[in-house]
Amino acid sequence: MVTSSSSVKVELRERTDGYVVATWRRLMLLVWRGQASVAGVERSRALFQPWAARQLGGAAFLIVLPRQRTGPPDEATRAAMQRAASAPGGYLKGVATLIEEEGFVAASVRAIMMRLQAHGTQGPPPNIFRTPAEVAGWAAAVLQDGEVTPDDLAEAIRVAREG
């Protein structure tokens, strides 16, 4: 299903109570609505691979954590995340996580995630960001797409989140 606002067109690939998988430009968004789950990780991976393989120049994957606090993923979900990160395929140009929270706890989570994700993955290194503007700069560079702007990315995330 394609949904849009005045400035962006987002394709909703899958929507559940726990997550939304959407695409905008050559960026797939996994927007968590609550606690991360094995199903969300595995479904987003299954949806990403065939979609990304069709994108000229490859694609990137963005994980957006919910604004409300959630606990760390359980062991099965962490294992699913590791499987997803270790078999990206040649079309994956990058992976990023957006943690929009502020403060000491959020900064600590970003630091820990960078350390954990840097170990044991093949393919592009992970990136942890604090704002959609930071993600947009990264995505524009990695995808070589000057049309990825901070405002449009923030709007695409909003549309997907509300999906």
Side-chain angles (χ1 to χ4, degrees):
M1 168 170 72
V2 175
T3 187
S4 61
S5 70
S6 60
S7 60
V8 300
K9 183 174 110 177
V10 175
E11 185 172 349
L12 299 178
R13 302 284 175 151
E14 186 163 302
R15 174 182 37 195
T16 71
D17 290 342
Y19 63 89
V20 174
V21 178
T23 54
W24 173 70
R25 303 195 63 77
R26 291 186 297 133
L27 190 62
M28 181 168 277
L29 311 168
L30 170 57
V31 181
W32 291 107
R33 292 178 160 178
Q35 188 66 39
S37 67
V38 171
V41 172
E42 290 179 348
R43 285 297 299 147
S44 64
R45 177 182 177 192
L47 291 166
F48 181 79
Q49 291 178 338
W51 172 80
R54 294 188 308 271
Q55 304 305 307
L56 293 176
F61 194 91
L62 174 62
I63 302 155
V64 181
L65 297 183
R67 289 189 173 133
Q68 74 275 13
R69 293 181 188 212
T70 60
D74 61 28
E75 187 174 325
T77 302
R78 284 193 303 274
M81 291 173 173
Q82 194 64 31
R83 285 190 304 276
S86 65
Y91 41 78
L92 178 63
K93 296 299 176 190
V95 177
T97 301
L98 174 60
I99 304 171
E100 295 179 286
E101 291 294 320
E102 295 291 333
F104 177 77
V105 172
S108 298
V109 168
R110 282 190 286 276
I112 290 167
M113 286 182 69
M114 283 296 286
R115 210 167 319 137
L116 289 175
Q117 289 184 1
H119 298 300
T121 61
Q122 300 166 348
N127 299 280
I128 312 296
F129 296 104
R130 186 177 52 86
T131 67
E134 292 172 350
V135 176
W138 165 82
V142 78
L143 295 172
Q144 298 179 350
D145 183 350
E147 305 231 355
V148 175
T149 66
D151 289 342
D152 286 350
L153 177 58
E155 181 65 4
I157 292 168
R158 185 195 67 74
V159 169
R161 185 177 272 138
E162 292 177 1

